[in-house]
């Protein structure tokens, strides 16, 4: 019989060096050829050896959808669960087992539609899980209905006259839930993905990373206007902590806050470089990060990328452990016989 | 411990009494009943209680909808129910009298707070004439007491506001009843100190009201209402008075303790299950983690996540919550991980009767999932036995790597009874085995891990994250037997479906045989499950002591059934099955054994009384 504590005890031997191959499972990958999910998978598999963690201590949990097949392809522990519930299942696992690295992978339908409730609650609690939200703005696995991130008026099989829904902006949602780490990256830039995922991993608390992901079958080119190499300079705004927010081939454009507190795009030449907003991902108040998230409502406008917010806040699983430890210290380890005699008793 | 108000004078000996405290939701009737019960338990009586309260925290004051009642039977011998018709009704206002007088035995005693019988309250209760004056209570002995006035009177110099003073009137009622039935006073006085300690004026007012009620009995010529219910001769041991939800919570703690494995409760508050969450959240020093989730689905999801991580995952809820958890339970069945789902049943469908009891979730427990998704079902049958039912549910879940449904109900959850505290060394061990080694060899001769390779019980290994070399992926998609790889093969799906069923069926070899209580040579057998145990036991005892032959089988395992059940039932001409539903067990038993079970049903949000079943069984006996 093996005690749980033997498995959770931290292994003090050196973490073995690994390569991408060590993190890849033997299962054939079954996404459509050309799907953006492939490059995200590669980015994750390539990043893992750099994190200095053990495969057996790494778990990927997913819900349902194309993205949710992700765990099958990682040579780690993994669970492909049910639609929308992965943040809840992952929360339970992370609270029970703070010794593990728990990742959650899901699409925009999984995370923001059927699972929206679990997502926001996991974020507000700040459970130590790393959520990768593959946003392709469409339902892929059910073959092409509009999703909660599809643009208004989108014509799909279930909206032949155009979708009536106002979409969610995942970054705004996460910031509204006061997530302690919120970032965005895209499937055309492996380096940026790896750097962003690694930042999420290093963060102590819940992390949400939105990944713009192309579904080349049902929503091809949804992000072309911003992520195509030729468009990137003008359309992607790289957020760097402590630096003024600038973009454009010559860094000729920038972001500033107007009098109402909204983030607005400006020409640096017009306003002067000192008027530009200096990005502070550690600001406790999420308002400015929220303003940044509102800069682009569809991926056809200049869109911020990178870490919107990374703040220190009590992490849930550690707090939960602390309560258990404190109870053991104050009351001593559980004495079953004493518990059964803890209400008034009498002798017969 | 002596008290100057220790009863004096001759109290008539009686074998048992059934008291019902009824008042407005704000009158503290649950507390009053609880205190009367505790004092009686410590005194050594056997007892059983029936709290009966509305769903609203404060329903409109003075109305019938707002009546909250607490019934308790205390006795000098072993009993199994809170009694049929109360002998005494304490009615704190007209609404309480109106709603509960019909339950009282003919010739019974009514004690009313006459101060509350003024026009407004009478109107609110729907009385046109004052029942205390119109002769409508002629069949009863009515004792009118100015409880509000007398309470205010004794509290007036104690520094409490008049409104607060009035709120002590339930202690006046408790004092009076304590005198009538010669209850010890110290337990209540000590409880008041502990409960209201620090608020001295309130302590003083409650104690004064309690003493005043007691003195009122002594001095107000109520001597013909002075009784004594001597301690019951119960089996030797240390006893405590416990309700079902507390016993169930302790059972979960005990099970985890016996498994040397941490317990994880994922729960969302719901009546009447929330008290289990409250109780378990106090016991973190037992390596218990409680997680109040954002909803029922997250609650079971988190519990399943914890089970995946090697904890004993538990989720507690009531019927509406089970409906929401169905998909996740299906996932747990597919993943073959331990999980205990606890359903404290209440009146349904929909919101139904949240605070009233019913046992109508058996079919949902059995079949309430899509696909062929069998899971074991364990049912508790009395408050203290909830302790053992919880241990049994965890044992099955852990040993057979399956979600288990544990059924209790609102009546067991809130009802209490004396419990002989078990010797913890007699509790079963629950061995937990996590896989640590590869269990298969690949073509290259290397050890590999197959998550769905099974043992002789068809149980797959529990390989938890953190275990080197056993990394694997599981999921809700159908998987190949053995390797666990996703498989859409028709033959494999049929095989896996059969295995999932066979795995649960096999548990029948590992549960207690059904036991027959009463006359094996009777022609009629009563088949029951759950909280009907008390009433069935009471009714069969009465009929058997009157010379009738009757057998009783009470099921604690409803899926799979005990292996000898079919044979046992086949030995009787007639099988009757009383249930608080429209015949759910009856249908399962008919389908399984082709036995023509006669169903008796009740859907009133109330448990059966022994009397109701006695007459139903008598009808059957008289053919
Ligand atoms: S449907 Fe779209 S998202 Fe799904 S695998 Fe194919 S390309 Fe990728």
């Amino acid at each position: 019989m093996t005690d749980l504590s033997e498995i959770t005890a931290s292994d003090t031997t050196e973490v073995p060096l690994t390569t991408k191959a060590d993190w890849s499972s033997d299962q054939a990958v079954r996404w459509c050829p050309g799907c953006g999910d492939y490059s995200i998978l590669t980015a994750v598999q390539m990043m893992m050896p750099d994190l200095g963690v053990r495969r057996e201590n790494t778990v990927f949990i997913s819900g349902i959808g194309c993205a949710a097949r992700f765990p099958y392809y990682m040579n780690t522990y993994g669970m492909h669960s049910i639609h929308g519930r992965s943040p809840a299942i992952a929360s339970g696992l992370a609270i029970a087992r703070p010794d593990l690295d728990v990742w959650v992978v899901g699409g925009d339908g999984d995370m923001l539609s059927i699972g929206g409730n679990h997502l926001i609650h996991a974020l507000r609690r700040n459970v130590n899980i790393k959520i990768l939200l593959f946003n392709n703005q469409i339902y892929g696995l059910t073959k092409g209905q509009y999703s909660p991130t599809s643009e208004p008026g989108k014509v799909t099989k279930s909206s032949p006259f155009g979708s009536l829904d106002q979409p969610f902006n995942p970054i705004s949602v996460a910031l509204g839930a006061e997530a302690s780490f919120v970032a965005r990256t895209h499937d055309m830039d492996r380096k940026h993905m790896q750097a962003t995922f690694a930042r999420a991993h290093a963060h102590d608390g819940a992390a949400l990373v939105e990944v713009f992901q192309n579904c080349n079958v049902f929503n091809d080119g949804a992000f072309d206007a911003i992520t195509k190499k030729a468009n990137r300079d003008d359309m992607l705004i790289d957020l760097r902590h402590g630096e003024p927010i600038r973009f454009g081939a010559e860094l000729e454009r920038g972001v500033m806050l107007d009098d109402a507190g909204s983030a607005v795009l400006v020409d640096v030449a017009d306003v002067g470089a000192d008027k530009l907003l200096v990005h502070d991902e550690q600001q406790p108040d999420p308002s400015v990060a929220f303003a940044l998230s509102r800069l682009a409502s569809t991926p056809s406008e200049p869109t911020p990328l990178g870490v919107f917010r990374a703040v220190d806040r009590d992490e849930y699983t550690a707090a939960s452990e602390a309560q258990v430890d404190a109870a053991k210290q104050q009351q001593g380890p559980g004495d079953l016989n004493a518990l059964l005699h803890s209400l008034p008793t009498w002798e017969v | 411990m002596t008290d100057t108000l220790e009863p004096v004078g001759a109290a008539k000996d009686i074998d048992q009494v059934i008291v019902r405290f009824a008042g407005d939701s704000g009158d503290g009737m649950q507390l009053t009943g609880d205190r009367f019960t505790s004092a009686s338990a410590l005194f050594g009586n056997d007892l059983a209680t029936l709290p009966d309260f509305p769903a609203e925290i404060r329903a409109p004051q003075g109305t019938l909808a707002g009546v909250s009642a607490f019934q308790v039977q205390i006795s000098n011998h072993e009993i199994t129910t809170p009694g049929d018709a109360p002998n005494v009704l304490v009615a704190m206002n007209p609404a309480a009298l109106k709603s509960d007088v019909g339950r009282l035995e003919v010739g019974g005693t009514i004690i009313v707070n006459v101060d509350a019988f003024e026009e407004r309250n009478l109107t609110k209760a729907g009385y046109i004439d004052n029942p205390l004056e119109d002769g409508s209570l002629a069949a009863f002995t009515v004792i009118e007491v100015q409880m509000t006035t007398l309470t205010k009177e004794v509290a007036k110099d104690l520094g409490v506001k008049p409104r607060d003073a009035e709120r002590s009137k339930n202690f006046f009622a408790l004092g009076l009843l304590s005198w009538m039935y010669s209850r010890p006073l110290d337990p209540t006085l000590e409880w008041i100190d502990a409960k209201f300690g620090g608020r001295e004026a309130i302590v003083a007012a409650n104690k004064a009201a309690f003493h005043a009620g007691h003195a009122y009995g002594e001095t107000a010529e109520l001597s013909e209402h002075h009784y004594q219910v001597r301690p019951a001769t119960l089996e030797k041991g240390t006893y405590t008075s416990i309700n079902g939800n507390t016993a169930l919570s302790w059972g979960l703690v005990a099970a985890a303790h016996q498994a040397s494995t941490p317990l994880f409760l994922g729960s969302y508050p719901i009546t009447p299950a929330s008290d289990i969450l409250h109780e378990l959240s106090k016991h973190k020093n037992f390596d218990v983690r409680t997680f109040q989730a954002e909803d029922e689905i997250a609650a079971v999801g988190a519990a399943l996540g914890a089970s995946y991580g090697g904890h004993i995952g538990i989720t507690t809820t009531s019927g509406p919550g089970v409906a929401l958890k169905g998909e996740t339970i299906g996932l747990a069945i597919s993943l073959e991980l331990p999980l205990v789902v606890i359903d404290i049943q209440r009146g349904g469908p929909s919101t139904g009767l949240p605070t009233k009891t019913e046992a109508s979730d058996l079919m949902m427990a059995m079949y309430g999932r899509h696909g062929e998704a069998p899971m074991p079902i364990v049912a508790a049958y009395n408050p203290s036995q909830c302790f053992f039912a919880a241990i049994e549910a965890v044992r099955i879940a852990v040993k057979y790597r399956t979600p288990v449904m544990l059924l209790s109900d609102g009546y067991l959850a809130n009802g209490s009874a004396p419990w002989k505290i078990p010797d913890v060394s007699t509790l079963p061990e629950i061995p937990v085995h996590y896989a640590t080694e590869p269990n298969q060899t690949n073509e290259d001769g290397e050890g590999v891990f197959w998550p769905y390779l099974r043992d002789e019980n068809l149980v797959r290994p529990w390989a938890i994250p953190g275990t080197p070399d056993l990394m694997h992926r599981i999921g809700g998609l159908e998987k190949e037997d053995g390797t666990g790889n996703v498989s859409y093969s028709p033959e494999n799906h049929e095989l896996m479906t059969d295995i999932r069923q066979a795995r649960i069926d096999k548990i029948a070899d590992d549960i207690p045989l059904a036991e027959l209580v009463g006359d094996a040579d009777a022609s009629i057998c009563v088949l029951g499950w759950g909280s009907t145990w008390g009433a069935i036991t009471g009714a069969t005892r009465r009929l058997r002591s009157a010379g009738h032959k009757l057998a009783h089988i009470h099921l604690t395992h409803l899926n799979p059934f005990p292996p000898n059940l079919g044979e046992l039932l086949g030995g009787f001409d007639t099988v009757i099955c009383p249930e608080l539903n429209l015949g759910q067990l009856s249908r399962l038993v008919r389908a399984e054994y082709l036995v023509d079970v006669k169903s008796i049903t009740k859907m009133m949000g109330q448990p059966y009384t022994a009397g109701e079943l006695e007459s139903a069984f008598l009808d059957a006996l008289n053919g």
Side-chain angles (χ1 to χ4, degrees):
Chain A
M1 239 163 85
T2 315
D3 214 67
L4 184 61
S5 56
E6 290 169 39
I7 294 172
T8 58
S10 58
D11 188 341
T12 49
T13 60
E14 215 169 303
V15 176
L17 289 179
T18 53
T19 63
K20 172 174 181 279
D22 294 313
W23 291 85
S24 311
S25 79
D26 60 355
Q27 301 294 300
V29 183
R30 297 205 203 181
W31 288 309
C32 308
C35 175
D37 289 351
Y38 283 96
S39 62
I40 307 175
L41 176 65
T42 304
V44 172
Q45 288 172 337
M46 287 181 69
M47 170 196 64
M48 295 309 295
D50 297 337
L51 294 183
V53 296
R54 294 171 197 279
R55 290 175 301 170
E56 64 265 26
N57 290 341
T58 305
V59 187
F60 280 84
I61 308 264
S62 66
I64 294 293
C66 295
R69 300 296 175 98
F70 199 94
Y72 287 122
Y73 311 134
M74 294 297 299
N75 188 15
T76 62
Y77 283 88
M79 186 198 292
H80 176 221
S81 75
I82 45 176
H83 207 13
R85 315 306 169 197
S86 54
I89 295 170
S91 291
L93 176 62
I95 295 164
R97 297 287 306 280
D99 57 308
L100 302 174
D101 272 346
V102 181
W103 298 80
V104 172
V105 178
D108 39 311
D110 202 31
M111 290 288 155
L112 290 168
S113 204
I114 190 166
N117 197 34
H118 308 308
L119 179 76
I120 57 175
H121 288 281
L123 294 177
R124 81 168 162 91
R125 286 190 191 104
N126 205 27
V127 181
N128 198 14
I129 57 178
K130 313 303 167 194
I131 303 169
L132 308 183
L133 192 166
F134 298 6
N135 183 7
N136 57 19
Q137 304 192 336
I138 198 79
Y139 283 140
L141 198 61
T142 50
K143 301 199 164 82
Q145 301 82 7
Y146 63 96
S147 90
T149 55
S150 297
E151 63 277 16
K154 187 167 193 75
V155 173
T156 69
K157 275 184 202 145
S158 59
S159 54
F161 305 109
S163 153
L164 301 174
D165 287 23
Q166 174 69 27
F168 265 144
N169 175 327
I171 301 291
S172 301
V173 169
L175 290 167
E178 296 195 40
S180 59
F181 183 96
V182 183
R184 177 188 279 149
T185 185
H186 70 92
D187 63 359
M188 302 287 282
D189 188 343
R190 181 183 303 155
K191 265 208 168 119
H192 192 271
M193 281 193 281
Q194 285 181 219
T196 311
F197 298 157
R199 281 285 314 273
H201 177 262
H203 177 71
D204 186 25
L208 178 112
V209 182
E210 178 189 19
V211 189
F212 287 151
Q213 174 244 325
N214 190 43
C215 168
N216 57 309
V217 172
F218 295 108
N219 203 17
D220 194 24
F223 302 99
D224 278 3
I226 57 171
T227 61
K228 267 222 149 106
K229 273 231 165 75
N231 302 335
R232 285 186 200 171
D233 281 347
D234 291 333
M235 300 301 269
L236 293 181
I237 307 172
D238 205 3
L239 299 175
R240 291 165 191 272
H241 180 61
E243 291 181 21
I245 305 174
R246 299 179 74 144
F247 67 106
E250 312 285 327
L251 296 181
E252 72 282 9
R253 306 206 68 201
V255 176
M256 63 174 275
L257 292 183
D258 69 10
D259 291 343
S262 297
V264 290
L265 300 174
V266 293
D267 287 328
V268 181
D270 291 349
V271 298
D274 55 341
K275 285 276 168 19
L276 295 180
L277 176 62
V278 176
H279 184 49
D280 179 4
E281 63 188 30
Q282 293 165 6
Q283 213 170 87
D285 184 328
S287 307
V288 175
F290 188 83
L292 287 172
S293 78
R294 308 310 292 172
L295 269 175
S297 57
T298 61
S300 56
E301 304 160 81
T303 302
L305 217 64
V307 178
F308 284 73
R309 176 172 161 88
V311 297
D312 262 346
R313 174 148 92 68
D314 281 350
E315 190 277 314
Y316 192 98
T317 67
S320 161
E321 281 313 284
Q323 282 195 346
V324 171
D325 291 343
K328 285 180 186 167
Q329 280 204 338
Q330 283 156 20
Q331 301 163 39
D335 176 343
L336 191 55
N337 194 48
L339 174 66
L340 301 191
H341 289 77
S342 59
L343 291 174
T345 61
W346 69 96
E347 297 293 329
V348 169
Chain B
M1 286 195 300
T2 55
D3 191 281
T4 48
L5 292 175
E6 206 66 72
V8 289
K12 270 169 279 179
D13 256 304
I14 52 175
D15 290 335
Q16 74 272 320
V17 65
I18 304 161
V19 180
R20 190 172 175 95
F21 297 92
D24 197 61
S25 297
D27 284 342
M29 290 298 96
Q30 299 306 316
L31 187 154
T32 310
D34 244 8
R35 288 300 96 213
F36 190 80
T37 303
S38 278
S40 301
L42 292 175
F43 183 67
N45 296 123
D46 197 7
L47 56 87
T49 72
L50 172 62
D52 189 5
F53 47 88
E56 294 73 21
I57 303 302
R58 289 277 187 278
Q61 218 185 351
T63 61
L64 293 173
V67 173
S68 175
F70 188 104
Q71 183 168 321
V72 54
Q73 173 165 218
I74 57 174
S75 76
N76 63 6
H77 55 278
E78 199 207 327
I79 51 168
T80 59
T81 76
D84 295 0
N87 311 112
V88 184
L89 172 67
V90 177
M92 299 301 281
N93 68 2
L97 177 67
K98 181 151 194 181
S99 95
D100 283 9
V101 69
R103 301 171 188 270
L104 197 61
E105 68 167 355
V106 174
T109 302
I110 304 172
I111 299 167
V112 295
N113 176 17
V114 70
D115 289 329
F117 282 67
E118 35 89 17
E119 185 141 353
R120 245 186 69 207
N121 283 335
L122 289 165
T123 311
K124 276 198 216 165
Y127 279 119
I128 296 164
D129 298 314
N130 187 342
L132 302 179
E133 292 161 5
D134 67 1
S136 61
L137 302 176
F140 309 103
T141 305
V142 181
I143 302 173
E144 298 180 19
V145 187
Q146 292 179 293
M147 294 190 202
T148 311
T149 308
L150 294 171
T151 301
K152 278 188 183 161
E153 178 68 26
V154 295
K156 74 170 184 288
D157 297 328
L158 297 175
V160 282
K161 296 188 212 94
R163 254 199 58 206
D164 287 342
E166 182 185 336
R167 291 176 60 186
S168 297
K169 63 181 182 294
N170 57 328
F171 282 98
F172 185 100
L174 183 58
L176 176 53
L177 269 288
S178 297
W179 178 81
M180 285 173 68
Y181 294 98
S182 311
R183 302 291 88 193
L185 305 186
D186 285 337
T188 301
L189 294 170
E190 283 162 15
W191 183 87
I192 292 174
D193 277 328
K195 176 80 181 175
F196 301 104
R199 287 173 288 168
E200 292 317 316
I202 296 186
V203 169
N206 285 339
K207 284 187 176 175
F210 183 61
H211 284 306
H214 196 274
Y216 184 91
E218 228 175 349
T219 54
E221 298 178 23
L222 294 182
S223 58
E224 75 268 34
H225 297 286
H226 192 29
Y227 301 101
Q228 173 88 286
V229 183
R230 293 187 187 277
T233 41
L234 301 172
E235 220 180 295
K236 269 203 179 335
T238 305
Y239 282 73
T240 193
S241 174
I242 196 161
N243 68 38
N245 273 353
T246 307
L248 199 154
S249 307
W250 290 2
L252 294 173
V253 172
H257 182 268
Q258 295 303 97
S260 305
T261 300
L263 185 84
F264 182 102
L265 172 73
S267 187
Y268 185 73
I270 184 170
T271 303
S274 306
D275 284 339
I276 303 172
L277 169 61
H278 306 161
E279 181 65 24
L280 284 176
S281 64
K282 291 191 244 170
H283 302 302
K284 294 191 194 292
N285 62 323
F286 281 88
D287 234 340
V288 170
R289 282 156 192 76
T290 55
F291 176 66
Q292 183 175 313
E294 58 272 22
D295 59 29
E296 295 282 0
I297 299 172
V300 65
L304 181 61
S307 283
Y308 177 56
H311 284 221
I312 296 173
I314 311 280
T315 189
T316 48
T317 187
S318 187
V322 178
L324 286 165
K325 294 178 198 292
E327 189 190 11
T328 311
I329 299 171
L331 175 64
I333 289 170
S334 178
L335 296 181
E336 304 186 27
L337 283 172
L339 177 72
V340 177
V341 180
I342 298 169
D343 178 3
I344 312 297
Q345 300 164 94
R346 65 189 218 189
S350 189
T351 311
L353 303 172
T355 58
K356 309 289 179 189
T357 201
E358 203 164 283
S360 46
D361 294 347
L362 177 57
M363 285 298 190
M364 175 164 68
M366 189 76 190
Y367 296 121
R369 293 161 296 282
H370 70 283
E372 290 291 344
M375 74 190 282
I377 304 170
V378 173
Y381 64 81
N382 77 14
S384 58
Q385 189 263 341
C386 287
F387 178 83
F388 298 102
I391 295 176
E392 176 66 351
V394 171
R395 182 190 74 86
I396 294 175
V398 166
K399 182 166 178 184
Y400 294 95
R401 242 78 89 199
T402 173
V404 173
M405 185 75 73
L406 170 54
L407 297 176
S408 172
D409 63 33
Y411 168 46
L412 296 181
N414 294 314
S416 42
W419 180 38
K420 187 180 158 205
I421 300 171
D423 177 353
V424 297
S425 70
T426 62
L427 299 178
E429 289 295 327
I430 300 180
V432 169
H433 297 283
Y434 303 116
T436 52
E437 303 289 334
N439 57 1
Q440 193 51 276
T441 313
N442 67 10
E443 305 103 63
D444 305 334
E446 295 162 346
V448 291
F449 180 66
W450 282 16
Y452 280 77
L453 202 62
R454 300 167 186 285
D455 69 8
E456 68 281 4
N457 287 323
L458 302 175
V459 172
R460 77 176 194 89
W462 193 5
I464 63 174
T467 315
D469 304 326
L470 304 191
M471 287 84 73
H472 64 280
R473 276 64 53 193
I474 54 177
L477 284 171
E478 185 62 283
K479 47 225 134 258
E480 186 179 59
D481 186 37
T483 66
N485 289 334
V486 173
S487 165
Y488 301 123
S489 139
E491 290 75 21
N492 179 71
H493 178 55
E494 187 153 67
L495 174 70
M496 289 295 276
T497 304
D498 290 343
I499 290 175
R500 282 188 285 266
Q501 184 66 52
R503 213 171 109 246
I504 302 307
D505 292 345
K506 252 176 101 58
I507 297 171
D509 301 336
D510 188 27
I511 60 174
L513 294 178
E515 249 181 82
L516 194 149
V517 177
D519 307 301
D521 58 342
S523 63
I524 296 183
C525 177
V526 182
L527 177 67
W529 70 280
S531 68
T532 52
W533 175 83
I536 295 175
T537 303
T540 49
R541 278 185 193 165
R542 285 183 204 173
L543 289 166
R544 290 184 62 229
S545 57
H548 296 283
K549 287 202 168 199
L550 214 48
H552 174 198
I553 295 172
H554 213 78
L555 296 179
T556 52
H557 294 75
L558 293 143
N559 191 37
F561 286 131
N564 63 334
L565 181 63
E567 197 190 317
L568 274 183
L569 293 177
F572 296 93
D573 297 342
T574 307
V575 175
I576 43 183
C577 181
E579 292 181 83
L580 296 175
N581 58 49
L582 292 183
Q584 299 188 9
L585 176 62
S586 303
R587 267 173 276 171
L588 291 177
V589 169
R590 280 183 201 175
E592 187 70 24
Y593 303 113
L594 295 176
V595 170
D596 181 20
V597 181
K598 305 248 180 307
S599 178
I600 303 175
T601 69
K602 177 176 180 179
M603 293 293 286
M604 301 175 76
Q606 298 291 329
Y608 280 109
T609 64
E612 285 169 339
L613 290 183
E614 185 184 1
S615 59
F617 299 166
L618 197 58
D619 286 348
L621 285 162
N622 294 335

